[in-house]
Amino acid sequence: MIGIWILGDQLSLQQSALKSCNHQINTPVIFIESLQHIQIRPYHRQKLVLIWSAMRHFAAELAQLKYAVTYKIATDFQTSLQAWIQVNQITELRVMTPNDKPFIQIIQNLQLPCLITLIPNNQFLWSTEKFTAWAKSRKRLLMEDFYREGRRSFQILMEDKQPIGGQWNLDKENRQPPKGKLHPPPAQWFTPDAITLDVIDKVNSLSHLTYGEIEPFDWGVNRQQALQVLDWFIQHRLSDFGTYQDVMITGEQTMWHALISPYLNIGLLQPLEVIQAAEAAYKQHQLRLNSVEGFIRQVLGWREYMYGIYHFVDTEYAEKNWFGHTQSLPEFFWTGETNMNCLHQTITQIKSTGYAHHIQRLMVLSNFALIAGISPQAVENWFHAVFIDAYDWVMQTNVIGMGLFADGGVLASKPYAASANYINKMSDYCKSCVYNHKERIGENGCPFNFFYWDFLNRHREKLQTQGRMSLILKHLDKMSSEELHSIHQQAENWWSLRQN
């Protein structure tokens, strides 16, 4: 008898393990909520609710389709699987190959009385084998090259062999700062049903450490709701998404962003249907090309590229620390209690929702961690714990690679380091901050400023090897040794006092 184990981030009728059995009636299927597995780190409570509620909804859907569904709430995977295999006389356990390397190890280490077969993962457009073949044939692994290959392969926004509009990338049009009063359309949220309310009660009853606020819980938990979120974005947000995708405004938590990453990452949405929905809207409603291209690039380009790189690099990638940064994570990353308003606003939002958009993640959170010299591994672990859409394959490359440049430039062409000027340009955070975004030192000097210049000065020799940094480093030559010393001293004092 063949049985199927469905993991919490593989909730699709199209997933390969299910498809391998041709949807045969009464095929034994098992879901397991493992309490042991969620103790790896203090996960956000809303992520636990999302995953467990989505698993329960999908299990109910499969039961209606006449699968023989078993749903286990257990301490660990091994014990539950062993009992289920014996009861159902399973001779072969099929699992779609997990997205995350650590979970592949978990499966390989199981001691079960049956054959375990990993079915090739079909949750991404590029298989790991296809990406590896592409990567090995190239001298450089630029996302832009990969993205163009994806556009050609899947014929997305193409006219014959050329990109629609004559340009592959319209990112220059997608960096507008906030001007005047912006009014983003509201997000598509949902009221928890009975299943979700039961999961909320369960998560509230957990005795081990978790993170964040659990209510209000507004996320979708099944495919129908995920499709509603996608449709809402296409109808109400996509047209203006590109122009203001980098903007940060107090009180506007989601701006024009799609909010589909939690659903994509657990299988409730498929990447090609998302891409094709955006392309169809562009053609039918003449939406702005910069918005549609910018959104498609995030899914067809960045998301697929990150997954491919994650499986392409060696196992030592997770421990990369090119700058040798060792500072521990400040407590305010968990509490949000800091006088730096940009960090306070972003972390407070994450506590209440499990979400922040890509510029808050890159240019506020990761930027601060980079220039302040915080351990890349501590930062990656925090990102993995607090975000509702976080998984190992997402965070290894996004945090270690792009955010902190700890891989020395495997996937980013320069460190994403910036002073307070950038945050002031792209947000309204600085207006309500106790620090002055123009000052480098002194009582009102913004930590983003003195950490930024100290970071450049401390790592000048290494940064000189990065071609795109040469112009920025020349600014250090215009600063006196006394000023650079004062900046370094202020950075040292900040850590010694661990002030906000």
Side-chain angles (χ1 to χ4, degrees):
M1 174 71 75
I2 294 172
I4 301 171
W5 179 19
I6 294 180
L7 309 182
D9 60 350
Q10 300 180 349
L11 309 180
S12 167
L13 289 173
Q14 302 306 312
Q15 67 117 293
S16 60
L18 275 177
K19 291 185 73 175
S20 74
C21 292
N22 297 316
H23 293 230
Q24 292 179 358
I25 291 175
N26 294 325
T27 297
V29 175
I30 187 169
F31 295 79
I32 305 171
E33 291 178 17
S34 167
L35 293 176
Q36 185 181 72
H37 186 64
I38 66 165
Q39 295 178 40
I40 297 171
R41 53 181 60 85
Y43 288 109
H44 201 295
R45 294 179 180 91
Q46 294 204 23
K47 181 177 183 178
L48 298 179
V49 174
L50 170 67
I51 300 301
W52 285 343
S53 181
M55 286 172 64
R56 294 182 188 191
H57 280 88
F58 189 56
E61 182 181 347
L62 290 184
Q64 287 184 333
L65 294 173
K66 306 302 182 184
Y67 286 93
V69 176
T70 298
Y71 199 99
K72 291 281 190 179
I73 299 173
T75 301
D76 60 74
F77 297 122
Q78 172 83 33
T79 306
S80 299
L81 287 168
Q82 210 149 16
W84 174 74
I85 287 166
Q86 291 173 349
V87 168
N88 291 276
Q89 298 182 326
I90 303 295
T91 55
E92 180 187 0
L93 175 64
R94 293 185 182 178
V95 190
M96 182 166 80
T97 301
N99 299 325
D100 288 349
K101 294 175 185 176
F103 214 101
I104 295 174
Q105 285 293 316
I106 287 174
I107 293 174
Q108 291 173 339
N109 291 334
L110 289 170
Q111 302 296 316
L112 298 177
C114 71
L115 175 69
I116 302 175
T117 303
L118 291 176
I119 308 296
N121 188 299
N122 67 349
Q123 215 161 330
F124 294 81
L125 298 175
W126 286 65
S127 68
T128 55
E129 293 79 14
K130 183 181 176 183
F131 184 91
T132 297
W134 174 84
K136 282 185 174 180
S137 67
R138 309 190 69 82
K139 293 181 179 179
R140 60 179 192 175
L141 297 179
L142 291 186
M143 197 283 287
E144 183 65 26
D145 296 340
F146 172 78
Y147 168 59
R148 293 182 186 188
E149 185 69 25
R151 288 269 293 273
R152 294 187 193 98
S153 296
F154 296 97
Q155 283 297 294
I156 302 298
L157 294 179
M158 298 293 289
E159 290 177 329
D160 295 325
K161 296 182 180 180
Q162 297 302 315
I164 287 177
Q167 292 179 273
W168 291 101
N169 187 320
L170 300 174
D171 201 35
K172 290 181 180 178
E173 299 177 36
N174 292 344
R175 299 170 182 165
Q176 292 300 310
K179 296 179 181 178
K181 185 65 177 175
L182 299 179
H183 298 284
Q188 174 75 72
W189 298 117
F190 303 94
T191 301
D193 63 7
I195 291 175
T196 302
L197 290 173
D198 283 346
V199 176
I200 289 173
D201 287 342
K202 175 185 174 178
V203 174
N204 272 327
S205 71
L206 294 174
S207 58
H208 62 270
L209 188 63
T210 53
Y211 176 74
E213 299 163 14
I214 198 168
E215 293 181 296
F217 180 87
D218 300 322
W219 296 94
V221 291
N222 57 41
R223 175 160 169 79
Q224 181 185 17
Q225 291 177 332
L227 286 169
Q228 284 181 252
V229 174
L230 174 60
D231 185 61
W232 181 267
F233 168 69
I234 297 293
Q235 287 192 44
H236 301 288
R237 292 186 157 198
L238 177 56
S239 183
D240 290 317
F241 163 77
T243 306
Y244 297 114
Q245 66 172 304
D246 289 1
V247 168
M248 301 170 282
I249 296 180
T250 303
E252 293 287 354
Q253 297 183 334
T254 63
M255 299 299 292
W256 278 270
H257 288 268
L259 305 182
I260 62 170
S261 57
Y263 312 122
L264 268 172
N265 290 357
I266 61 175
L268 296 182
L269 292 175
Q270 299 301 308
L272 191 57
E273 71 181 341
V274 167
I275 293 162
Q276 290 176 337
E279 182 181 38
Y282 165 73
K283 293 178 177 178
Q284 292 168 14
H285 304 294
Q286 291 75 54
L287 300 186
R288 293 187 180 97
L289 182 57
N290 66 300
S291 287
V292 177
E293 185 278 317
F295 171 71
I296 286 176
R297 182 161 18 95
Q298 290 192 359
V299 183
L300 179 61
W302 196 248
R303 184 174 185 271
E304 294 285 329
Y305 176 71
M306 284 296 181
Y307 179 73
I309 289 285
Y310 170 78
H311 285 282
F312 180 69
V313 297
D314 58 39
T315 55
E316 297 174 358
Y317 188 89
E319 301 305 318
K320 296 288 186 183
N321 191 351
W322 196 63
F323 292 113
H325 287 166
T326 57
Q327 294 285 3
S328 58
L329 195 76
E331 182 64 22
F332 67 73
F333 264 72
W334 298 103
T335 65
E337 296 174 5
T338 171
N339 290 329
M340 287 177 279
N341 192 43
C342 57
L343 283 160
H344 170 72
Q345 294 293 336
T346 302
I347 295 168
T348 301
Q349 174 184 319
I350 294 167
K351 282 181 67 179
S352 64
T353 65
Y355 173 81
H357 71 65
H358 68 275
I359 292 301
Q360 291 172 307
R361 301 189 197 202
L362 179 64
M363 300 309 298
V364 176
L365 299 168
S366 295
N367 181 21
F368 180 81
L370 169 63
I371 61 179
I374 301 173
S375 158
Q377 286 64 45
V379 179
E380 189 277 335
N381 188 61
W382 178 83
F383 266 80
H384 196 152
V386 305
F387 281 109
I388 197 164
D389 55 4
Y391 296 89
D392 199 57
W393 71 267
V394 179
M395 290 308 167
Q396 286 296 328
T397 44
N398 270 289
V399 179
I400 300 292
M402 187 181 188
L404 300 183
F405 207 76
D407 64 2
V410 171
L411 60 83
S413 57
K414 72 176 183 65
Y416 281 87
S419 68
N421 284 338
Y422 176 87
I423 295 171
N424 181 60
K425 177 185 176 183
M426 299 306 298
S427 78
D428 65 354
Y429 294 154
C430 297
K431 294 177 181 177
S432 303
C433 189
V434 299
Y435 298 111
N436 187 329
H437 70 275
K438 295 181 180 180
E439 295 188 18
R440 296 173 181 168
I441 55 177
E443 187 176 339
N444 296 324
C446 176
F448 274 84
N449 288 337
F450 57 74
F451 276 132
Y452 172 70
W453 291 107
D454 189 52
F455 165 77
L456 294 181
N457 194 41
R458 280 186 293 119
H459 297 297
R460 185 192 297 217
E461 188 173 331
K462 277 199 164 190
L463 292 171
Q464 282 173 342
T465 65
Q466 305 299 312
R468 294 182 65 192
M469 294 297 296
S470 57
L471 185 63
I472 296 170
L473 292 173
K474 287 180 180 178
H475 290 289
L476 288 173
D477 298 329
K478 302 174 184 178
M479 301 167 68
S480 67
S481 58
E482 290 78 16
E483 184 177 9
L484 289 173
H485 177 75
S486 296
I487 287 171
H488 179 69
Q489 196 60 55
Q490 186 137 352
E492 291 281 300
N493 290 344
W494 189 92
W495 277 113
S496 64
L497 297 173
R498 200 49 87 78
Q499 67 185 43
N500 293 331

